[in-house]
Amino acid sequence: MRNSLTLISSLRRPWATAALALMVIGTSLGGGVAAAEPAIAPEDLPVAGEPMPVGEGEYSYLATHEITDRASSMDLPEAIAALPVPQQYRPANLGLAAQFDMALTSALNSPGGCVQVVVDPRARSGSLFNYGFFPVAGEYCS
């Protein structure tokens, strides 16, 4: 597990990692929040708990602990931040990476924890999809 919550925006991972990130988060260029969030102090991270309820029309994926651990070892948030996107989508892409990084770090702070991905296919703010990443406590993970 990483000690800091920094995201490096320069491309340092091979294209295969970026392709894997696209498979995980989908192909939306405008998903996520409007701006990148700053690094969060560990004590201010959300606490892993129950999976988030999913609304009508939304989709949810609950990763296993092993997949969550693998995403961390691959620096997947960094790969998401490094995806080549048009300049107007750069802040949203960095925000998506920061949101995933926080959920990943929080999930791994819980023994056996994992990440839940919630996708809302209803477009808002010009995006194709809206993604949410949430830390889930180990007792709910496979």
Side-chain angles (χ1 to χ4, degrees):
M1 184 166 55
R2 294 177 317 277
N3 291 329
S4 66
L5 296 175
T6 59
L7 294 173
I8 300 170
S9 61
S10 62
L11 182 60
R12 293 188 181 172
R13 296 281 176 231
W15 283 104
T17 303
L20 177 61
L22 279 174
M23 284 183 2
V24 172
I25 65 170
T27 58
S28 170
L29 294 176
V33 294
E37 296 294 323
I40 304 276
E43 62 272 8
D44 293 332
L45 286 169
V47 176
E50 294 181 24
M52 292 297 288
V54 179
E56 187 175 331
E58 294 179 331
Y59 303 93
S60 176
Y61 170 73
L62 190 62
T64 64
H65 175 72
E66 290 76 24
I67 290 174
T68 301
D69 193 44
R70 187 178 318 153
S72 178
S73 71
M74 293 173 50
D75 287 332
L76 197 53
E78 183 179 316
I80 293 169
L83 289 172
V85 295
Q87 189 61 35
Q88 69 266 27
Y89 294 119
R90 193 84 191 121
N93 193 61
L94 292 174
L96 183 70
Q99 183 185 17
F100 185 77
D101 195 29
M102 287 188 310
L104 186 64
T105 302
S106 295
L108 292 175
N109 284 337
S110 172
C114 59
V115 171
Q116 178 187 18
V117 180
V118 177
V119 180
D120 184 351
R122 296 170 288 214
R124 294 187 190 101
S125 306
S127 64
L128 298 175
F129 298 97
N130 291 299
Y131 295 94
F133 301 108
F134 305 96
V136 177
E139 64 196 70
Y140 303 101
C141 304
S142 300

